[in-house]
Amino acid sequence: MRRFLMAGLALAVSSIAALAPNAATAAYPDRPITLIVPWNAGGGTDAVARIVASLLEKDLGQPIAVVNRTGGQGVVGHQAIADAAPDGYTIGIITVEIGMMHWQGLTQLTGASYTPLALMNEDPAGVQVRTDASYKTLDDLIADIKANPGKFKASGTGQGGIWHLALAGMLSSLKLDPKSVPWVPSNGAAPGLQDLVAGGVQVVTCSIPEARSLIDAKRVKSLAIMASERSKLMPDIPTLKEATGSSWTIGAWRGFAAPKGLDKAASDKLQAALKKVYDSKEYQEFLTNRGFGGRYADGPGFAEFMAKADASLGAVMKEVGLAK
């Protein structure tokens, strides 16, 4: 009798356990998610992260806490994303710098250090000069640079930053020495553009959204953008290929990723949710209002995109002596 009672009790307990939810079987996500941003609050990357987080919350049904982990020229935040547990409860926004920092010897991280989820934005580089400059086309400017190496100075970011590499890559693609236009480091596009207007430099490479206010004010003009298609924001600006024949393209991009080793079910759910966000009216209006460029790729597509960008940036950095 005792054996029968014990067997019955064991069966009842196992049946209850099978029906009860637990951490292993609960549908993902069943608790809040943290989204790490490697850059300061209030900037463009932070703005993208926060609009995406707010829209993801609606689809996933869980709160998403946006946490800014800054420092080390982006290394601190990117490392925090890579070092988190691959359980889907810590994700992050990663940026173009992930294809540059390891070439500079700042970290060993690359795009391959993550589980890519989605590319969500890219802003191509533009070539800006003063409105009263005599150059009507980029070809005019390139001809003058070729005839007078060292005559022109350029700015738009720090030494070795994305816009510096944009200029170097463009010049290299046109068979010009990247060092023929000396780079004047600045703390971003805004001070570089002000230096352009003041006459301290003659060229600024930066995104169209960054130069938009000065272009609208007729103080600066853009001669070309380094993209395969014209800008929706300013469709009258030709692409670099249209202007010069060069196929060089480069831009500042932002995408979402999780730590390497993320479970496929969680990865699939996050990828699907991010695609819904990208296609949403709210996100597209956000991009338009900010002047940001839209570019989407799913996880595998994003991984391929990062690998190509890494190789391209590495080649340019080696050419200008910035790779270690």
Side-chain angles (χ1 to χ4, degrees):
M1 178 63 72
R2 182 172 178 177
R3 279 200 300 269
F4 283 128
L5 287 173
M6 293 298 291
L9 180 61
L11 179 62
V13 169
S14 64
S15 298
I16 293 170
L19 293 172
N22 56 57
T25 61
Y28 169 83
D30 64 352
R31 54 189 170 88
I33 295 170
T34 296
L35 195 163
I36 296 174
V37 180
W39 305 102
N40 289 329
T45 300
D46 182 69
V48 172
R50 290 180 188 276
I51 183 68
V52 169
S54 69
L55 296 172
L56 276 179
E57 285 181 340
K58 297 176 183 178
D59 189 65
L60 298 177
Q62 291 291 342
I64 297 180
V66 177
V67 178
N68 298 86
R69 294 286 302 275
T70 62
Q73 300 180 54
V75 172
V76 171
H78 282 92
Q79 189 70 57
I81 299 165
D83 287 346
D87 56 8
Y89 291 98
T90 299
I91 60 175
I93 184 168
I94 60 177
T95 59
V96 63
E97 285 79 11
I98 196 65
M100 299 159 56
M101 297 185 296
H102 71 98
W103 291 109
Q104 296 168 305
L106 299 175
T107 179
Q108 294 184 345
L109 293 173
T110 69
S113 304
Y114 306 90
T115 299
L117 300 172
L119 173 65
M120 299 286 282
N121 152 247
E122 185 183 29
D123 295 312
V127 182
Q128 280 67 240
V129 296
R130 282 172 41 149
T131 303
D132 60 4
S134 61
Y135 314 107
K136 293 182 179 180
T137 68
L138 182 56
D139 260 344
D140 294 338
L141 174 62
I142 294 300
D144 206 349
I145 291 173
K146 189 173 184 179
N148 300 282
K151 171 184 175 181
F152 297 91
K153 294 180 182 177
S155 189
T157 188
Q159 188 81 7
I162 184 62
W163 304 138
H164 181 195
L165 300 183
L167 177 69
M170 180 189 76
L171 293 173
S172 179
S173 75
L174 295 169
K175 311 302 182 186
L176 293 172
D177 183 352
K179 297 176 183 177
S180 62
V181 181
W183 189 258
V184 178
S186 66
N187 291 320
L193 286 163
Q194 289 302 321
D195 201 12
L196 174 67
V197 171
V201 298
Q202 292 73 45
V203 180
V204 164
T205 41
C206 67
S207 70
I208 296 300
E210 289 171 314
R212 181 180 185 178
S213 62
L214 288 174
I215 293 174
D216 289 343
K218 308 296 184 186
R219 302 182 73 187
V220 165
K221 61 184 178 183
S222 186
L223 300 178
I225 62 166
M226 302 178 200
S228 57
E229 297 179 355
R230 292 195 177 203
S231 167
K232 292 180 180 179
L233 182 63
M234 294 186 176
D236 291 337
I237 301 171
T239 66
L240 185 63
K241 189 172 184 64
E242 290 172 329
T244 68
S246 169
S247 297
W248 171 254
T249 61
I250 191 171
W253 55 260
R254 303 173 178 102
F256 290 80
K260 195 173 182 66
L262 178 65
D263 171 77
K264 184 178 185 301
S267 176
D268 288 348
K269 188 155 191 176
L270 287 167
Q271 286 188 62
L274 285 164
K275 182 62 166 70
K276 287 181 184 178
V277 168
Y278 184 83
D279 290 337
S280 70
K281 179 182 177 182
E282 295 91 337
Y283 186 68
Q284 291 302 317
E285 286 181 346
F286 164 81
L287 292 177
T288 299
N289 292 337
R290 284 273 183 161
F292 289 165
R295 180 163 181 173
Y296 173 80
D298 62 8
F302 186 23
E304 183 179 352
F305 172 87
M306 285 194 288
K308 288 181 179 178
D310 187 286
S312 178
L313 290 168
V316 174
M317 293 178 78
K318 289 176 183 177
E319 189 168 3
V320 296
L322 293 170
K324 293 184 179 180

